[in-house]
Amino acid sequence: METEGGVVLATERYGSAEFWKYFRKDGVMERRRDGGESRGNSIVGVFKSVFLPQGYPESVSNDYLQYQFWDTVQAFASSLSGTLATQASLKGVGVGNQEATVAAATVTWLLRDGTGMLGRILFAWRKGNKLDSEAKKWRLFADVLNDIAMFMEILAPYFPTCFTLIVCTAGIFKSIVGVAGGATRAALTVHQARRDNMADISAKDGSQETLVNLAGLLVSLVLIPLVTDNPILTLSLFFLFTALHLFANYKAVRSVVMETFNEARLSIVLQQYLRDKRILSPQEANSREPIFVEFRKTVPIKLGVRLQEVVRSLEELNLAIKKNNLPYLLGIQNGCVCVCLGPEASVHHEIRAMCQAVRLSSMLSPQTSREPPTKQQQSHWEMVHESYELMDTNFNPFLKGVEAAGWDIKRTLLDWDEWRVEWKTKTN
């Protein structure tokens, strides 16, 4: 192709950032920019190269920039709050007090670290498997708990008789924050990576956080002389930074749009489909997803359990496999919807089983039946059989619809345990 500048020999681009053309003119090949900005020849270009993943924005999810903006704001606010809490902790262990001993301060610090280590182990044991499936919820929980821990550290010096107990409790909270925050950050990085570039995204996230902490350090150098021996100003600034921290965290978590199903997102999309046959997009479902840890009583769903948690007798086993040729079994025991999974089950089978479990859970939640146990148990199995019939009619159109709407159905974030059960299709 020939232009005013000569014959175009080739074109090249660097993602969406730079565009170049090679021309032949008067027997010489020339290279010229065709729009875009240089990555390395401007301040903005250098900044992007240092702090954003390679190939941005094509190499990350669409919600990356908005999430990182609010994450930066919350990290800055948390850094300033942490400075106030650290000053209070140092004052509490005796820094500046001539009567305080090094041994007493060391013992207090060791007790705080020791209880924190135990808290880290126990939390990872009890909730580690929830941090992938409910990353947004536990991310926000970690930040709220972090603010509570820092508030306790600020108040601790004013209760000298309980100082050690307060800082040890705060240490436990902070250890939980470390586990939940680090694990959920990793889960969100997996979501943001679009070119198997999780390490690059994680590294650049670390660079961004380091820059924010450096800015927080500089501001803290100005704040410390002002708040020293001024508890009212200390608390006022702490509440201001905490409010900013919580608001930014809420906005950051809300900005994340995950295309994979967890229990909450699948339940939201399924209930909408059963009401009016409309498939919610990932954006719509994520905006409705609850992001606060809920303590209200609901009908829990247990996935990947052993057989005895689904059926307790030969009669119940016959009821569970009745008209069922799928590689999973459902049952309702002790107020829980339980699902056994066969070893040959696919991801689509997992999604279908979860759809049935969600349906059963929603049917049981408002139920306050006072029927005798035998009748109630029979009605439960009738509900299970009805859920199979419902999925026989609706699941395939539902699955096609969610795939067309942009959901990733090749993998899920459903909280399956590791039990796999094989059973005979006939028991007598």
Side-chain angles (χ1 to χ4, degrees), residues 395-409:
F395 182 70
N396 286 335
F398 172 75
L399 194 65
K400 292 178 181 178
V402 296
E403 186 176 20
W407 290 96
D408 181 2
I409 59 173

Side-chain angles (χ1 to χ4, degrees), residues 386-418:
E386 288 174 4
S387 72
Y388 278 107
E389 295 173 1
L390 181 70
M391 287 299 109
D392 287 340
T393 304
N394 291 281
F395 182 70
N396 286 335
F398 172 75
L399 194 65
K400 292 178 181 178
V402 296
E403 186 176 20
W407 290 96
D408 181 2
I409 59 173
K410 296 179 181 178
R411 65 186 187 94
T412 68
L413 292 174
L414 301 175
D415 188 22
W416 288 95
D417 205 345
E418 295 303 312

Side-chain angles (χ1 to χ4, degrees), residues 90-396:
L90 293 174
K91 181 180 178 181
V93 297
V95 174
N97 184 356
Q98 296 180 351
E99 298 180 359
T101 64
V102 175
T106 303
V107 168
T108 300
W109 218 257
L110 291 175
L111 286 173
R112 190 193 73 161
D113 288 348
T115 52
M117 293 174 189
L118 291 176
R120 185 178 298 113
I121 293 171
L122 291 174
F123 180 77
W125 168 51
R126 296 296 300 170
K127 295 296 182 180
N129 61 327
K130 296 288 185 182
L131 300 179
D132 279 306
S133 59
E134 298 178 343
K136 293 193 284 186
K137 187 178 292 187
W138 286 104
R139 173 74 180 177
L140 187 59
F141 170 83
D143 287 300
V144 172
L145 194 62
N146 189 48
D147 289 332
I148 293 174
M150 289 191 290
F151 182 59
M152 294 175 66
E153 289 178 339
I154 289 176
L155 292 182
Y158 302 103
F159 301 92
T161 56
C162 301
F163 178 80
T164 301
L165 176 62
I166 293 173
V167 296
C168 286
T169 304
I172 293 174
F173 288 174
K174 283 196 168 184
S175 68
I176 293 174
V177 170
V179 175
T184 53
R185 184 182 293 272
L188 292 173
T189 301
V190 172
H191 156 70
Q192 291 171 340
R194 288 296 184 263
R195 294 182 180 171
D196 294 326
N197 55 340
M198 290 180 291
D200 184 30
I201 290 176
S202 181
K204 296 301 170 57
D205 184 66
S207 296
Q208 296 167 20
E209 187 170 355
T210 301
L211 180 64
V212 171
N213 289 335
L214 179 60
L217 177 64
L218 296 176
V219 175
S220 298
L221 292 175
V222 178
L223 286 180
I224 291 300
L226 299 177
V227 300
T228 302
D229 299 324
N230 191 337
I232 295 178
L233 182 59
T234 298
L235 287 174
S236 299
L237 289 175
F238 174 78
F239 286 126
L240 175 64
F241 297 146
T242 298
L244 177 61
H245 178 240
L246 293 177
F247 175 75
N249 267 296
Y250 176 82
K251 296 292 287 185
V253 171
R254 270 296 178 213
S255 69
V256 176
V257 179
M258 290 189 167
E259 300 89 2
T260 47
F261 282 129
N262 64 358
E263 180 180 334
R265 292 189 288 273
L266 181 57
S267 177
I268 291 167
V269 176
L270 178 66
Q271 299 291 1
Q272 184 69 49
Y273 178 78
L274 293 178
R275 279 195 298 269
D276 57 15
K277 302 301 180 183
R278 185 167 73 92
I279 299 291
L280 296 177
S281 67
Q283 180 75 42
E284 292 173 309
N286 277 265
S287 66
R288 300 185 188 183
E289 181 183 4
I291 58 174
F292 295 101
V293 176
E294 297 172 318
F295 299 100
R296 62 188 178 87
K297 189 174 181 181
T298 58
V299 177
I301 297 173
K302 296 181 179 180
L303 304 174
V305 300
R306 42 187 139 179
L307 183 63
Q308 67 182 25
E309 294 188 51
V310 174
V311 299
R312 302 290 176 85
S313 65
L314 181 60
E315 179 185 1
E316 287 191 343
L317 179 58
N318 285 326
L319 289 171
I321 64 178
K322 181 181 178 182
K323 299 180 180 179
N324 174 23
N325 58 355
L326 295 165
Y328 61 84
L329 300 176
L330 285 98
I332 301 168
Q333 297 289 349
N334 299 324
C336 298
V337 179
C338 301
V339 184
C340 277
L341 195 66
E344 71 278 16
S346 66
V347 175
H348 290 181
H349 289 131
E350 293 179 2
I351 295 175
R352 173 167 174 157
M354 189 66 194
C355 286
Q356 286 185 238
V358 165
R359 178 63 175 170
L360 289 171
S361 177
S362 65
M363 292 172 67
L364 289 167
S365 292
Q367 191 174 16
T368 55
S369 175
R370 296 183 181 180
E371 296 177 354
T374 54
K375 289 186 178 181
Q376 191 176 30
Q377 188 178 35
Q378 181 65 33
S379 66
H380 285 172
W381 285 111
E382 290 175 357
M383 292 166 61
V384 170
H385 295 151
E386 288 174 4
S387 72
Y388 278 107
E389 295 173 1
L390 181 70
M391 287 299 109
D392 287 340
T393 304
N394 291 281
F395 182 70
N396 286 335

